[in-house]
C-alpha cells in the first residue's frame, strides 16, 4: 500500500512532468481561445508548419489520432482557408497537406503565445538552468522514444 501511495504522490517526477505539461497547455489554451481555432486544430497547424507536404496518414501518426479524426479536423481547417490538400504524385489515393498564406500569421501568433507561456513558466530560472532543464528533458524524451513498447512493459 505504501508503494502505491508513493507512486501516486504529487512529488514524483512523473507526476510533476505531467502536471507541468497540463498547466502549460491550460495556460496556452486560455490565451489561444480568442482565435476561434480549437486546441486540436492548433496542433494540426503547428505540426504541419514543421512538415508541410506530409500526407494525412503521416500527420495522423504524428498527432496520435485516428485518420478519420484528422480528416475532420483538416476539413474544418480547409473550410477556414488555412490548409489545402494537394494530390500526392506518388499515390493517387493520398493527399498532401499544405498551409495557405492565411495560416502563417496565425502560426506566428501561436508561437508568440507559446513563448509567453514558457516565459511565464520559466520565470526566475537563469539561462543556465533553462539550458540544463532543456538538456535533461531531451534526454528523458530520448530514453523513452528509443525503447520498444515491449521493453517498456518488461
Amino acid at each position: 500500500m505504501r508503494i502505491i501511495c508513493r507512486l501516486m504522490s504529487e512529488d514524483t517526477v512523473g507526476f510533476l512532468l505531467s502536471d507541468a505539461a497540463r498547466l502549460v497547455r491550460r495556460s496556452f489554451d486560455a490565451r489561444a481561445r480568442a482565435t476561434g481555432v480549437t486546441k486540436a486544430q492548433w496542433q494540426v497547424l503547428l505540426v504541419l508548419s514543421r512538415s508541410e507536404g506530409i500526407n494525412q496518414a503521416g500527420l495522423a501518426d504524428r498527432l496520435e489520432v485516428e485518420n478519420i479524426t484528422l480528416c475532420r479536423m483538416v476539413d474544418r481547417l480547409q473550410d477556414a482557408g488555412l490548409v489545402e490538400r494537394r494530390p500526392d504524385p506518388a499515390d493517387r489515393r493520398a493527399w498532401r497537406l499544405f498551409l495557405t498564406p492565411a495560416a502563417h500569421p496565425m502560426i506566428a501568433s501561436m508561437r508568440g503565445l507559446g513563448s509567453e507561456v514558457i516565459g511565464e513558466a520559466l520565470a526566475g530560472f537563469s539561462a543556465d538552468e533553462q539550458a540544463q532543464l532543456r538538456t535533461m528533458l531531451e534526454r528523458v524524451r530520448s530514453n523513452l522514444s528509443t525503447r520498444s513498447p515491449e521493453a517498456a512493459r518488461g
Side-chain angles (χ1 to χ4, degrees):
M1 182 68 162
R2 181 182 281 171
I3 293 173
I4 293 172
C5 290
R6 175 72 178 135
L7 290 173
M8 295 174 59
S9 173
E10 293 183 13
D11 63 351
T12 66
V13 171
F15 181 87
L16 290 170
L17 282 170
S18 177
D19 202 39
R22 178 187 63 80
L23 292 169
V24 166
R25 280 190 307 273
R26 185 176 75 181
S27 182
F28 179 85
D29 291 346
R31 294 168 199 229
R33 224 173 257 126
T35 65
V37 177
T38 68
K39 178 175 139 183
Q41 290 169 334
W42 272 124
Q43 289 173 323
V44 170
L45 292 172
L46 184 60
V47 172
L48 194 51
S49 73
R50 295 177 181 158
S51 305
E52 274 199 271
I54 192 171
N55 66 29
Q56 286 185 189
L59 184 57
D61 285 344
R62 286 202 189 165
L63 293 170
E64 297 181 354
V65 299
E66 295 296 322
N67 286 338
I68 190 67
T69 302
L70 177 70
C71 186
R72 289 183 191 125
M73 286 189 282
V74 171
D75 286 345
R76 288 186 198 104
L77 291 168
Q78 188 172 17
D79 290 345
L82 300 172
V83 172
E84 68 179 2
R85 289 178 170 106
R86 297 181 195 161
D88 185 333
D91 182 353
R92 63 186 175 139
R93 298 166 298 160
W95 294 96
R96 298 270 176 193
L97 302 172
F98 294 87
L99 298 171
T100 66
H104 295 286
M106 291 188 78
I107 291 168
S109 173
M110 177 177 61
R111 286 192 172 124
L113 291 176
S115 292
E116 287 176 20
V117 170
I118 295 303
E120 186 178 301
L122 298 179
F125 282 67
S126 71
D128 284 345
E129 289 172 323
Q130 289 182 36
Q132 286 177 335
L133 177 60
R134 182 181 179 94
T135 298
M136 288 186 274
L137 289 173
E138 286 172 347
R139 198 161 70 202
V140 167
R141 179 177 62 187
S142 176
N143 287 346
L144 294 174
S145 66
T146 58
R147 292 185 69 189
S148 70
E150 294 78 30
R153 279 188 243 124

